[in-house]
mmCIF file of all heavy atoms in Angstrom:
data_model
loop_
_atom_site.group_PDB
_atom_site.id
_atom_site.type_symbol
_atom_site.label_atom_id
_atom_site.label_comp_id
_atom_site.label_asym_id
_atom_site.label_seq_id
_atom_site.Cartn_x
_atom_site.Cartn_y
_atom_site.Cartn_z
ATOM 1 N N ALA A 1 -19.311 25.409 -20.375
ATOM 2 C CA ALA A 1 -18.681 24.120 -20.179
ATOM 3 C C ALA A 1 -17.324 24.240 -19.498
ATOM 4 O O ALA A 1 -16.889 23.344 -18.794
ATOM 5 C CB ALA A 1 -18.501 23.429 -21.538
ATOM 6 N N ASP A 2 -16.647 25.386 -19.680
ATOM 7 C CA ASP A 2 -15.332 25.579 -19.057
ATOM 8 C C ASP A 2 -15.420 26.075 -17.620
ATOM 9 O O ASP A 2 -14.426 26.394 -17.003
ATOM 10 C CB ASP A 2 -14.474 26.515 -19.898
ATOM 11 C CG ASP A 2 -15.096 27.920 -19.971
ATOM 12 O OD1 ASP A 2 -16.171 28.154 -19.369
ATOM 13 O OD2 ASP A 2 -14.511 28.791 -20.658
ATOM 14 N N GLY A 3 -16.652 26.155 -17.114
ATOM 15 C CA GLY A 3 -16.827 26.591 -15.731
ATOM 16 C C GLY A 3 -17.147 28.059 -15.567
ATOM 17 O O GLY A 3 -17.388 28.518 -14.447
ATOM 18 N N SER A 4 -17.169 28.829 -16.652
ATOM 19 C CA SER A 4 -17.508 30.272 -16.568
ATOM 20 C C SER A 4 -18.938 30.405 -16.076
ATOM 21 O O SER A 4 -19.823 29.688 -16.548
ATOM 22 C CB SER A 4 -17.359 30.909 -17.942
ATOM 23 O OG SER A 4 -16.035 30.817 -18.421
ATOM 24 N N PRO A 5 -19.166 31.301 -15.123
ATOM 25 C CA PRO A 5 -20.491 31.411 -14.540
ATOM 26 C C PRO A 5 -21.489 32.050 -15.545
ATOM 27 O O PRO A 5 -21.088 32.718 -16.492
ATOM 28 C CB PRO A 5 -20.281 32.328 -13.347
ATOM 29 C CG PRO A 5 -19.087 33.156 -13.733
ATOM 30 C CD PRO A 5 -18.199 32.216 -14.527
ATOM 31 N N ALA A 6 -22.766 31.798 -15.283
ATOM 32 C CA ALA A 6 -23.804 32.451 -16.061
ATOM 33 C C ALA A 6 -23.788 33.946 -15.787
ATOM 34 O O ALA A 6 -23.410 34.395 -14.704
ATOM 35 C CB ALA A 6 -25.170 31.883 -15.687
ATOM 36 N N LEU A 7 -24.185 34.729 -16.786
ATOM 37 C CA LEU A 7 -24.191 36.192 -16.643
ATOM 38 C C LEU A 7 -25.577 36.664 -16.245
ATOM 39 O O LEU A 7 -26.591 36.034 -16.601
ATOM 40 C CB LEU A 7 -23.801 36.864 -17.966
ATOM 41 C CG LEU A 7 -22.375 36.573 -18.485
ATOM 42 C CD1 LEU A 7 -22.140 37.369 -19.775
ATOM 43 C CD2 LEU A 7 -21.328 36.930 -17.442
ATOM 44 N N GLY A 8 -25.609 37.758 -15.548
ATOM 45 C CA GLY A 8 -26.865 38.396 -15.233
ATOM 46 C C GLY A 8 -27.470 39.045 -16.471
ATOM 47 O O GLY A 8 -26.806 39.149 -17.517
ATOM 48 N N ALA A 9 -28.727 39.483 -16.351
ATOM 49 C CA ALA A 9 -29.445 40.034 -17.519
ATOM 50 C C ALA A 9 -28.705 41.222 -18.127
ATOM 51 O O ALA A 9 -28.551 41.296 -19.350
ATOM 52 C CB ALA A 9 -30.842 40.417 -17.102
ATOM 53 N N SER A 10 -28.266 42.168 -17.310
ATOM 54 C CA SER A 10 -27.611 43.361 -17.854
ATOM 55 C C SER A 10 -26.268 43.034 -18.471
ATOM 56 O O SER A 10 -25.910 43.599 -19.530
ATOM 57 C CB SER A 10 -27.445 44.420 -16.745
ATOM 58 O OG SER A 10 -26.684 43.897 -15.684
ATOM 59 N N SER A 11 -25.494 42.123 -17.854
ATOM 60 C CA SER A 11 -24.176 41.752 -18.403
ATOM 61 C C SER A 11 -24.357 41.018 -19.736
ATOM 62 O O SER A 11 -23.601 41.228 -20.689
ATOM 63 C CB SER A 11 -23.407 40.897 -17.419
ATOM 64 O OG SER A 11 -23.103 41.628 -16.241
ATOM 65 N N ALA A 12 -25.341 40.105 -19.754
ATOM 66 C CA ALA A 12 -25.593 39.357 -21.015
ATOM 67 C C ALA A 12 -26.034 40.278 -22.126
ATOM 68 O O ALA A 12 -25.580 40.132 -23.265
ATOM 69 C CB ALA A 12 -26.677 38.311 -20.756
ATOM 70 N N ALA A 13 -26.835 41.283 -21.798
ATOM 71 C CA ALA A 13 -27.269 42.245 -22.813
ATOM 72 C C ALA A 13 -26.092 43.020 -23.347
ATOM 73 O O ALA A 13 -25.996 43.316 -24.546
ATOM 74 C CB ALA A 13 -28.328 43.172 -22.222
ATOM 75 N N ARG A 14 -25.159 43.377 -22.459
ATOM 76 C CA ARG A 14 -23.972 44.134 -22.916
ATOM 77 C C ARG A 14 -23.114 43.302 -23.851
ATOM 78 O O ARG A 14 -22.618 43.820 -24.870
ATOM 79 C CB ARG A 14 -23.136 44.518 -21.683
ATOM 80 C CG ARG A 14 -21.973 45.462 -22.020
ATOM 81 C CD ARG A 14 -20.867 45.396 -20.978
ATOM 82 N NE ARG A 14 -20.198 44.119 -20.979
ATOM 83 C CZ ARG A 14 -19.989 43.369 -19.892
ATOM 84 N NH1 ARG A 14 -20.414 43.799 -18.702
ATOM 85 N NH2 ARG A 14 -19.367 42.214 -19.990
ATOM 86 N N VAL A 15 -22.969 42.006 -23.584
ATOM 87 C CA VAL A 15 -22.174 41.144 -24.447
ATOM 88 C C VAL A 15 -22.799 41.058 -25.829
ATOM 89 O O VAL A 15 -22.130 41.127 -26.851
ATOM 90 C CB VAL A 15 -22.044 39.717 -23.838
ATOM 91 C CG1 VAL A 15 -21.347 38.796 -24.829
ATOM 92 C CG2 VAL A 15 -21.248 39.779 -22.536
ATOM 93 N N VAL A 16 -24.123 40.922 -25.861
ATOM 94 C CA VAL A 16 -24.830 40.833 -27.166
ATOM 95 C C VAL A 16 -24.639 42.121 -27.950
ATOM 96 O O VAL A 16 -24.434 42.100 -29.177
ATOM 97 C CB VAL A 16 -26.335 40.540 -26.959
ATOM 98 C CG1 VAL A 16 -27.090 40.613 -28.293
ATOM 99 C CG2 VAL A 16 -26.504 39.154 -26.351
ATOM 100 N N VAL A 17 -24.683 43.258 -27.272
ATOM 101 C CA VAL A 17 -24.459 44.539 -27.947
ATOM 102 C C VAL A 17 -23.057 44.587 -28.528
ATOM 103 O O VAL A 17 -22.835 45.074 -29.650
ATOM 104 C CB VAL A 17 -24.689 45.702 -26.967
ATOM 105 C CG1 VAL A 17 -24.215 47.025 -27.567
ATOM 106 C CG2 VAL A 17 -26.158 45.806 -26.593
ATOM 107 N N SER A 18 -22.073 44.070 -27.795
ATOM 108 C CA SER A 18 -20.702 44.026 -28.299
ATOM 109 C C SER A 18 -20.600 43.176 -29.541
ATOM 110 O O SER A 18 -19.930 43.542 -30.524
ATOM 111 C CB SER A 18 -19.769 43.473 -27.206
ATOM 112 O OG SER A 18 -19.714 44.336 -26.094
ATOM 113 N N VAL A 19 -21.260 42.015 -29.535
ATOM 114 C CA VAL A 19 -21.246 41.124 -30.705
ATOM 115 C C VAL A 19 -21.938 41.777 -31.894
ATOM 116 O O VAL A 19 -21.463 41.707 -33.047
ATOM 117 C CB VAL A 19 -21.903 39.786 -30.336
ATOM 118 C CG1 VAL A 19 -22.103 38.924 -31.606
ATOM 119 C CG2 VAL A 19 -21.071 39.040 -29.301
ATOM 120 N N ARG A 20 -23.036 42.463 -31.644
ATOM 121 C CA ARG A 20 -23.714 43.179 -32.724
ATOM 122 C C ARG A 20 -22.805 44.243 -33.332
ATOM 123 O O ARG A 20 -22.759 44.402 -34.557
ATOM 124 C CB ARG A 20 -25.000 43.827 -32.192
ATOM 125 C CG ARG A 20 -26.192 42.845 -32.069
ATOM 126 C CD ARG A 20 -27.353 43.495 -31.291
ATOM 127 N NE ARG A 20 -27.688 44.815 -31.829
ATOM 128 C CZ ARG A 20 -28.512 45.012 -32.874
ATOM 129 N NH1 ARG A 20 -29.047 43.965 -33.492
ATOM 130 N NH2 ARG A 20 -28.785 46.245 -33.257
ATOM 131 N N SER A 21 -22.090 44.961 -32.474
ATOM 132 C CA SER A 21 -21.179 45.994 -32.964
ATOM 133 C C SER A 21 -20.058 45.386 -33.800
ATOM 134 O O SER A 21 -19.677 45.935 -34.864
ATOM 135 C CB SER A 21 -20.566 46.763 -31.783
ATOM 136 O OG SER A 21 -21.566 47.431 -31.043
ATOM 137 N N PHE A 22 -19.548 44.241 -33.383
ATOM 138 C CA PHE A 22 -18.488 43.563 -34.126
ATOM 139 C C PHE A 22 -18.970 43.186 -35.531
ATOM 140 O O PHE A 22 -18.293 43.421 -36.531
ATOM 141 C CB PHE A 22 -18.012 42.337 -33.359
ATOM 142 C CG PHE A 22 -17.170 41.406 -34.190
ATOM 143 C CD1 PHE A 22 -15.867 41.746 -34.574
ATOM 144 C CD2 PHE A 22 -17.683 40.209 -34.652
ATOM 145 C CE1 PHE A 22 -15.093 40.902 -35.346
ATOM 146 C CE2 PHE A 22 -16.927 39.343 -35.438
ATOM 147 C CZ PHE A 22 -15.618 39.689 -35.790
ATOM 148 N N HIS A 23 -20.121 42.543 -35.616
ATOM 149 C CA HIS A 23 -20.615 42.073 -36.917
ATOM 150 C C HIS A 23 -21.006 43.265 -37.823
ATOM 151 O O HIS A 23 -20.832 43.179 -39.045
ATOM 152 C CB HIS A 23 -21.800 41.150 -36.720
ATOM 153 C CG HIS A 23 -21.381 39.730 -36.382
ATOM 154 N ND1 HIS A 23 -20.835 38.877 -37.304
ATOM 155 C CD2 HIS A 23 -21.420 39.052 -35.209
ATOM 156 C CE1 HIS A 23 -20.559 37.731 -36.735
ATOM 157 N NE2 HIS A 23 -20.890 37.795 -35.432
ATOM 158 N N ARG A 24 -21.504 44.344 -37.234
ATOM 159 C CA ARG A 24 -21.803 45.519 -38.021
ATOM 160 C C ARG A 24 -20.528 46.095 -38.612
ATOM 161 O O ARG A 24 -20.476 46.475 -39.794
ATOM 162 C CB ARG A 24 -22.524 46.560 -37.172
ATOM 163 C CG ARG A 24 -22.942 47.808 -37.948
ATOM 164 C CD ARG A 24 -23.902 48.688 -37.166
ATOM 165 N NE ARG A 24 -23.363 49.127 -35.923
ATOM 166 C CZ ARG A 24 -23.783 48.717 -34.725
ATOM 167 N NH1 ARG A 24 -24.742 47.811 -34.647
ATOM 168 N NH2 ARG A 24 -23.212 49.170 -33.595
ATOM 169 N N PHE A 25 -19.503 46.135 -37.788
ATOM 170 C CA PHE A 25 -18.177 46.624 -38.270
ATOM 171 C C PHE A 25 -17.633 45.721 -39.387
ATOM 172 O O PHE A 25 -17.139 46.204 -40.398
ATOM 173 C CB PHE A 25 -17.182 46.664 -37.100
ATOM 174 C CG PHE A 25 -15.757 46.969 -37.508
ATOM 175 C CD1 PHE A 25 -15.379 48.261 -37.797
ATOM 176 C CD2 PHE A 25 -14.844 45.942 -37.642
ATOM 177 C CE1 PHE A 25 -14.066 48.549 -38.156
ATOM 178 C CE2 PHE A 25 -13.520 46.226 -38.029
ATOM 179 C CZ PHE A 25 -13.157 47.525 -38.275
ATOM 180 N N ALA A 26 -17.716 44.406 -39.175
ATOM 181 C CA ALA A 26 -17.205 43.466 -40.189
ATOM 182 C C ALA A 26 -17.936 43.642 -41.500
ATOM 183 O O ALA A 26 -17.313 43.570 -42.583
ATOM 184 C CB ALA A 26 -17.353 42.039 -39.663
ATOM 185 N N ASN A 27 -19.232 43.883 -41.433
ATOM 186 C CA ASN A 27 -20.004 44.074 -42.664
ATOM 187 C C ASN A 27 -19.648 45.382 -43.366
ATOM 188 O O ASN A 27 -19.474 45.424 -44.586
ATOM 189 C CB ASN A 27 -21.477 44.015 -42.329
ATOM 190 C CG ASN A 27 -22.388 44.135 -43.543
ATOM 191 O OD1 ASN A 27 -23.235 45.024 -43.636
ATOM 192 N ND2 ASN A 27 -22.198 43.271 -44.535
ATOM 193 N N LEU A 28 -19.499 46.453 -42.581
ATOM 194 C CA LEU A 28 -19.152 47.747 -43.162
ATOM 195 C C LEU A 28 -17.771 47.750 -43.773
ATOM 196 O O LEU A 28 -17.500 48.447 -44.768
ATOM 197 C CB LEU A 28 -19.257 48.845 -42.067
ATOM 198 C CG LEU A 28 -20.629 49.195 -41.573
ATOM 199 C CD1 LEU A 28 -20.574 50.135 -40.387
ATOM 200 C CD2 LEU A 28 -21.482 49.807 -42.691
ATOM 201 N N GLU A 29 -16.867 46.948 -43.206
ATOM 202 C CA GLU A 29 -15.486 46.886 -43.731
ATOM 203 C C GLU A 29 -15.343 45.880 -44.883
ATOM 204 O O GLU A 29 -14.256 45.681 -45.388
ATOM 205 C CB GLU A 29 -14.539 46.515 -42.601
ATOM 206 C CG GLU A 29 -14.378 47.576 -41.534
ATOM 207 C CD GLU A 29 -13.730 48.847 -42.101
ATOM 208 O OE1 GLU A 29 -12.670 48.711 -42.760
ATOM 209 O OE2 GLU A 29 -14.267 49.927 -41.878
ATOM 210 N N GLY A 30 -16.450 45.242 -45.267
ATOM 211 C CA GLY A 30 -16.386 44.305 -46.368
ATOM 212 C C GLY A 30 -15.870 42.934 -46.005
ATOM 213 O O GLY A 30 -15.579 42.105 -46.894
ATOM 214 N N MET A 31 -15.765 42.654 -44.732
ATOM 215 C CA MET A 31 -15.310 41.330 -44.298
ATOM 216 C C MET A 31 -16.400 40.287 -44.444
ATOM 217 O O MET A 31 -16.115 39.082 -44.542
ATOM 218 C CB MET A 31 -14.851 41.396 -42.827
ATOM 219 C CG MET A 31 -13.680 42.338 -42.586
ATOM 220 S SD MET A 31 -13.439 42.722 -40.821
ATOM 221 C CE MET A 31 -13.106 41.085 -40.157
ATOM 222 N N THR A 32 -17.656 40.737 -44.468
ATOM 223 C CA THR A 32 -18.793 39.824 -44.685
ATOM 224 C C THR A 32 -19.755 40.497 -45.638
ATOM 225 O O THR A 32 -19.765 41.724 -45.799
ATOM 226 C CB THR A 32 -19.526 39.543 -43.355
ATOM 227 O OG1 THR A 32 -20.019 40.766 -42.806
ATOM 228 C CG2 THR A 32 -18.606 38.863 -42.364
#
C-alpha cells in the first residue's frame, strides 16, 4: 500500500526465512 514493489520469488523466500528465524529465536528466548 505504501508503494513498495512486489518481490521476486527468491527475494520473497528470503524474507520468509528471516521471519521464521525471528519467531524461532523469540520462542527459544521465552518471548513467546
Side-chain angles (χ1 to χ4, degrees):
D2 63 0
S4 299
L7 298 182
S10 59
S11 295
R14 188 203 67 230
V15 174
V16 173
V17 170
S18 295
V19 171
R20 280 170 50 85
S21 297
F22 166 72
H23 279 287
R24 183 167 58 249
F25 172 79
N27 182 237
L28 290 173
E29 292 295 310
M31 298 166 61
T32 60

